[in-house]
Amino acid sequence: MAETWANVQVSGADGVEPGQLSGSDLYLDLSGEGSLRSRLMGALREAIRSGRLAPGTRLPPHRGLAHDLGIARNTVANAYAELVAEGWLQARQGSGTRVARRAVPLRVDRARPSRHPRHRRVPHSLMPSSPDAAAFPRSAWLTSTRRAVAAAPNDAFGVGDPRGRVELREALSEYLARARGVRTEPDRIVICSGFAHGLELLGGVLRGPVAVESYGLDFHRGLLEAAGLRTVPLTVDSHGARIDELPRTGAKAVLLTPAHQFPTGGPLHPERRAAVVDWARSHGGLLVEDDYDGEFRYDRQPVGAVQGLDPDRVVYVGSASKSLSPALRLGWMVLPPWLVDEIVTAKGPREIWSSAVDQLTLADFIACGAYDRHLRRMRQHYRRRRDQLVSTLAERAPHIRVSGIAAGLHAVLELPADTEEAAVRAAGRQGLALDGLRPYRHPDSAMPRREGLVIGYGTPPDHAFASALAALCLALPDPPDDSRRPPPPPPAGRRRTGEGD
Ligand SMILES: Cc1ncc(COP(=O)(O)O)c(C=O)c1O
């Protein structure tokens, strides 16, 4: 059925005579799957839960609502009756059907799945998109906000400079040099609303095709393509992107994740780091370095940014999304001098993207050492998570290999051919959201297809991590020869869900 939006008039709650129309409109969206009755029930529950239908409000009579929605009267009568039984509505002889006066029950509406599968509520998530949101350093951040707002000059609360607050650019310039080996001054830094915004700005000033890694975020490729730039895939192997393929692409720019390839998980080999800089110098090219999780390395000191090799040929883009929170929407671009004006012009005449208060807070947070302390703590936290993932797999699924370096907030589990899709589906049945490698593959890539699961081990809160791992183990394919498998210790009440269950 096509989307059905109905505009129905409902009568008022307390204080309004029964039968008197309040004149307020109620929009009911009956689109989606399932029977008309269940969709109507879902739409009414949603209207009650969101407060659009207040307790005590009288609903239209069956016939009137059926007429407005173009559906059978019985469908409305049955939906009302079920919602009365569930406690959402109350029916009284002579006064029609009303929204129940007692507290509205809060429960998941299973009749209306989200239209965006990635936003569906599931008990567990190992999606690689988020840090551990429960670990956000609330009180240290508040301390910095208080201090930053108290110390800020009046102009901080006026219209902002599109380059971003100077306090933050100064703090970043010192921090990036010290921690990431970036060569810059504050004047070459432009604050943006996360990496995605930085890429969007670059999309507006780059020319020609842009080379990208065969595996990467489709969302980022989409931003470049939306700017009219074709993206050309480079093979990704165990040494990172194949830089030797760059000349044949005709690209003048390349987007890479050198510290920790996303999502396959390897670093760019030192020879290839040098090679990409050589290519940029000899072809008038530009490297866009996405340093989204460069601070998180567990087996050694983090490798410095490629930008340090040639600040005139590399745009370094960093973000607070993994280190602090994607909700801050704060990122930073370190630009070659010849690109600064163009990017500032692309950003617009005034700051309309990033809050000055958040910028000042981050500046204070870095300057007072809280950012370093937070990163140290989170490094230990994510390292423990990764160790737990590796040891759980070693115990329960020793045939599954964890690939990539000990870094970042995600790992890839290598899977045998033709098992990825089934594993993602089996995870769904365990109430576990995760991604396979398939959605990250560039559609034009000619490299051999890899199968695997991208496990965001940073995502769950501590209390849910072990059960997320247990659900993961239940979703993994069996070893090729079942007899070699050690006896699995499934959690109580759960059994392994194989394909075809
Ligand atoms: C590959 C990659 N690049 C960059 C980012 C940061 O994106 P943003 O700063 O737009 O949140 C992420 C996610 O955090 C990512 O996975």
Side-chain angles (χ1 to χ4, degrees):
M1 180 176 175
E3 205 165 71
T4 307
W5 286 87
N7 176 359
V8 241
Q9 287 211 309
V10 292
S11 52
D14 281 349
V16 180
E17 287 301 306
Q20 181 191 330
L21 287 178
S22 66
S24 50
D25 290 337
L26 171 69
Y27 291 90
L28 292 176
D29 176 10
L30 298 194
S31 61
E33 289 162 17
S35 69
L36 262 179
R37 180 180 47 83
S38 68
R39 279 182 273 156
L40 175 58
M41 286 171 64
L44 286 168
R45 283 195 205 101
E46 189 281 324
I48 296 170
R49 206 170 16 216
S50 65
R52 291 190 298 128
L53 273 178
T57 304
R58 200 171 89 165
L59 293 179
H62 303 160
R63 187 152 23 121
L65 185 59
H67 177 264
D68 284 344
L69 295 174
I71 61 178
R73 200 172 144 184
N74 259 353
T75 308
V76 177
N78 291 338
Y80 279 14
E82 278 204 52
L83 291 174
V84 168
E86 287 182 8
W88 296 87
L89 303 179
Q90 281 175 334
R92 228 179 299 136
Q93 199 74 39
S95 78
T97 308
R98 292 174 178 268
V99 177
R101 281 170 196 281
R102 65 179 179 72
V104 169
L106 257 184
R107 60 179 135 178
V108 180
D109 179 2
R110 296 184 200 287
R112 288 188 84 219
S114 156
R115 275 175 237 182
H116 200 304
R118 290 189 186 203
H119 293 164
R120 208 177 286 153
R121 279 196 169 273
V122 286
H124 302 298
S125 174
L126 289 171
M127 294 291 283
S129 38
S130 184
D132 180 355
F136 184 77
R138 294 179 193 232
S139 64
W141 187 259
L142 277 172
T143 304
S144 283
T145 306
R146 206 171 293 117
R147 204 162 38 218
V149 168
N154 287 343
D155 80 332
F157 304 101
V159 167
D161 182 328
R163 288 173 301 173
R165 288 300 305 180
V166 67
E167 295 88 338
L168 178 56
R169 291 185 284 115
E170 281 170 1
L172 282 169
S173 161
E174 182 278 325
Y175 167 76
L176 293 172
R178 171 169 58 77
R180 303 295 302 123
V182 171
R183 285 156 60 193
T184 188
E185 307 119 34
D187 281 356
R188 287 168 53 180
I189 298 181
V190 173
I191 302 303
C192 50
S193 178
F195 175 84
H197 181 218
L199 192 61
E200 201 174 22
L201 292 171
L202 285 164
V205 303
L206 297 178
R207 303 279 166 266
V210 177
V212 296
E213 294 157 322
S214 269
Y215 283 89
L217 278 177
D218 56 349
F219 169 56
H220 289 166
R221 292 194 291 267
L223 288 173
L224 292 171
E225 281 154 15
L229 299 168
R230 191 163 60 85
T231 59
V232 194
L234 300 176
T235 302
V236 176
D237 61 23
S238 58
H239 287 173
R242 288 269 304 272
I243 304 303
D244 58 327
E245 292 178 354
L246 265 176
R248 68 143 176 81
T249 63
K252 284 277 178 265
V254 57
L255 168 62
L256 298 177
T257 45
H260 188 215
Q261 204 284 323
F262 188 87
T264 63
L268 188 64
H269 190 276
E271 279 169 20
R272 294 192 186 173
R273 288 162 61 93
V276 71
V277 171
D278 288 346
W279 165 83
R281 285 179 183 154
S282 57
H283 288 74
L286 189 73
L287 163 63
V288 179
E289 177 172 22
D290 175 0
D291 196 36
Y292 66 106
D293 70 358
E295 286 106 340
F296 295 110
R297 183 87 193 238
Y298 315 124
D299 55 340
R300 50 163 289 165
Q301 285 288 82
V303 177
V306 179
Q307 191 268 4
L309 298 180
D310 192 341
D312 288 345
R313 292 278 144 214
V314 181
V315 176
Y316 171 95
V317 192
S319 164
S321 290
K322 295 288 194 206
S323 58
L324 279 165
S325 161
L328 289 174
R329 303 311 311 144
L330 275 176
W332 38 92
M333 316 171 74
V334 179
L335 296 158
W338 50 272
L339 208 47
V340 174
D341 286 348
E342 261 187 283
I343 289 292
V344 172
T345 306
K347 207 175 158 196
R350 53 197 277 182
E351 178 63 85
I352 57 169
W353 305 99
S354 305
S355 143
V357 172
D358 288 344
Q359 293 185 50
L360 290 169
T361 301
L362 181 57
D364 181 274
F365 198 74
I366 295 171
C368 76
Y371 193 54
D372 285 87
R373 281 193 294 280
H374 174 68
L375 286 173
R376 266 201 301 279
R377 203 173 48 248
M378 295 315 289
R379 234 176 257 136
Q380 284 172 6
H381 181 59
Y382 294 133
R383 175 195 205 130
R384 277 196 298 270
R385 289 278 181 99
R386 191 177 190 281
D387 289 349
Q388 198 175 336
L389 167 70
V390 170
S391 63
T392 303
L393 289 170
E395 188 188 321
R396 298 192 197 175
H399 58 295
I400 301 291
R401 201 173 82 85
V402 182
S403 71
I405 50 173
L409 283 66
H410 77 277
V412 170
L413 309 191
E414 303 275 344
L415 293 186
D418 300 325
T419 59
E420 177 183 310
E421 238 181 286
V424 173
R425 275 205 307 272
R429 286 196 297 275
Q430 298 295 336
L432 172 65
L434 49 69
D435 258 347
L437 276 173
R438 193 175 54 87
Y440 298 98
R441 185 183 166 89
H442 193 293
D444 300 338
S445 173
M447 70 174 274
R449 195 171 289 280
R450 290 180 56 169
E451 300 223 3
L453 296 176
V454 185
I455 303 299
Y457 50 77
T459 306
D462 272 340
H463 66 85
F465 188 53
S467 34
L469 290 185
L472 169 67
C473 290
L474 292 170
L476 292 172
D478 290 325
D481 174 358
D482 226 12
S483 60
R484 283 195 310 232
R485 191 178 171 74
R494 288 248 173 106
R495 74 190 174 88
R496 189 175 187 86
T497 310
E499 266 312 280
D501 269 9

